[in-house]
Amino acid sequence: MLEATVCHLLRRSGENRELLLGKRVSLFCNGIWNGPGGKLRKNEKPLACLRREVREEIGIFVDTKNALHVGTVDFYHPYKSAHRLEWRVYYFNVTAWQGEPEHHPRIFDELAWFRIDRLPYESMLPDRKIWLPLVLGDEIRSRLFTAEIYYVDA
């Protein structure tokens, strides 16, 4: 099983809250909007991975004291006649950072801020429409979302 982190970088813009997303350039999730993040290295803790991956992918320094772990999702993929746990992904909401997000073309085709009530769900992984609104709410501090997602062969 591989482990990874994803950062939900959140800011206020007037009356609205916004989420930074990037359109991925990769074999997996190519053209899909997602937050910055990536794989944990051997013996690396999720918060250390979050800080490193966000720095590498969008060039900012995340204050991990203010990073809120809002969800953990296990992704199961078909393997022969059963499903196998392939990924465990830790999701964090972050509202404090240093620097301005930078676009790195080898990672994202583009970066954009989206209003929370107008996320591009049609261009995101399908499960996001179900659970992402739950972890982006102001009241999230009192709960942690966990899920198992099973992919099937099409």
Side-chain angles (χ1 to χ4, degrees), residues 21-51:
L21 296 174
K23 192 178 276 189
R24 284 270 173 206
V25 177
S26 64
L27 293 176
F28 181 71
C29 294
N30 187 42
I32 298 293
W33 289 100
N34 201 16
K39 287 188 260 186
L40 273 76
R41 294 178 176 162
K42 186 177 180 178
N43 299 319
E44 188 175 38
K45 301 291 184 202
L47 280 174
C49 176
L50 179 78
R51 182 175 36 249

Side-chain angles (χ1 to χ4, degrees), residues 15-131:
E15 296 290 315
N16 302 306
R17 291 178 67 229
E18 296 179 328
L19 172 66
L20 182 73
L21 296 174
K23 192 178 276 189
R24 284 270 173 206
V25 177
S26 64
L27 293 176
F28 181 71
C29 294
N30 187 42
I32 298 293
W33 289 100
N34 201 16
K39 287 188 260 186
L40 273 76
R41 294 178 176 162
K42 186 177 180 178
N43 299 319
E44 188 175 38
K45 301 291 184 202
L47 280 174
C49 176
L50 179 78
R51 182 175 36 249
R52 177 183 54 76
E53 286 286 348
V54 171
R55 183 77 169 167
E56 290 173 3
E57 291 194 353
I58 61 172
I60 65 169
F61 178 76
V62 168
D63 180 355
T64 56
K65 291 180 291 209
N66 294 311
L68 179 64
H69 180 204
V70 293
T72 301
V73 179
D74 288 343
F75 293 92
Y76 291 81
H77 294 265
Y79 181 72
K80 297 186 178 178
S81 62
H83 278 81
R84 178 172 61 190
L85 177 59
E86 294 284 335
W87 287 93
R88 174 166 289 148
V89 181
Y90 305 96
Y91 293 88
F92 293 88
N93 287 358
V94 173
T95 57
W97 63 88
Q98 294 174 346
E100 288 297 318
E102 301 170 4
H103 172 234
H104 293 286
R106 67 177 178 78
I107 298 167
F108 296 112
D109 276 337
E110 59 184 297
L111 286 177
W113 290 96
F114 291 91
R115 282 179 44 168
I116 299 251
D117 61 346
R118 295 184 184 161
L119 295 177
Y121 288 116
E122 67 284 351
S123 300
M124 298 171 80
L125 292 172
D127 58 89
R128 300 310 190 265
K129 190 171 188 172
I130 297 166
W131 63 264

